[in-house]
Amino acid sequence: QVQLVESGGGPVQAGGSLRLSCAASGYTGSYYCMGWFRQAPGKGREGVATISSTGSTTYADSVKGRFTISQDNAKNTLYLQINSLKPEDTAMYYCAAHRRALYGCYLGSRFDYWGQGTQVTVSS
């Protein structure tokens, strides 16, 4: 059974940094695409960043230059480095993955596997 477990969230002041992690287990192969999504209170889910198995990345315009997605295939772990945090970055952050090349690897792709989320709260 595929399991994605996020960690690294917490309270932080504006301008600060966090590194979110997503540990993947239950599948010995490689995912075609992994991504980070977020959902702020009262808002819909927003795609933040994706990374393909070949290392190609995409980012939402709102986070370009501040967020960096990366992966350590040896550790089956996905990361999101978040710098220059803003209060509007406050949200639950979710890790997601899929195995199908047919879905592509971009913010609008279908993702079959989801973690439970880690909360990021940015105070001004």
Side-chain angles (χ1 to χ4, degrees):
Q1 181 179 354
V2 172
Q3 199 169 24
L4 302 176
V5 180
E6 302 93 337
S7 61
V12 63
Q13 289 192 328
S17 298
L18 284 174
R19 188 175 82 155
L20 307 184
S21 299
C22 171
S25 62
Y27 176 55
T28 56
S30 62
Y31 295 99
Y32 182 80
C33 181
M34 298 190 77
W36 287 98
F37 295 78
R38 67 185 181 184
Q39 187 164 17
K43 295 187 177 181
R45 188 172 63 200
E46 173 190 21
V48 173
T50 65
I51 186 167
S52 73
S53 57
T54 60
S56 297
T57 59
T58 63
Y59 293 94
D61 288 343
S62 59
V63 306
K64 282 180 181 176
R66 298 190 299 122
F67 289 20
T68 303
I69 189 171
S70 62
Q71 59 190 356
D72 185 332
N73 292 326
K75 295 182 179 180
N76 293 325
T77 302
L78 179 72
Y79 301 101
L80 186 69
Q81 178 68 40
I82 310 176
N83 298 326
S84 303
L85 276 157
K86 303 176 181 180
E88 52 263 44
D89 294 321
T90 294
M92 185 71 80
Y93 284 72
Y94 299 92
C95 166
H98 73 73
R99 306 175 191 171
R100 299 176 182 264
L102 182 65
Y103 295 167
C105 191
Y106 51 94
L107 298 177
S109 294
R110 168 179 167 171
F111 286 82
D112 294 324
Y113 308 105
W114 293 84
Q116 294 300 305
T118 185
Q119 178 69 39
V120 172
T121 303
V122 185
S123 59
S124 57

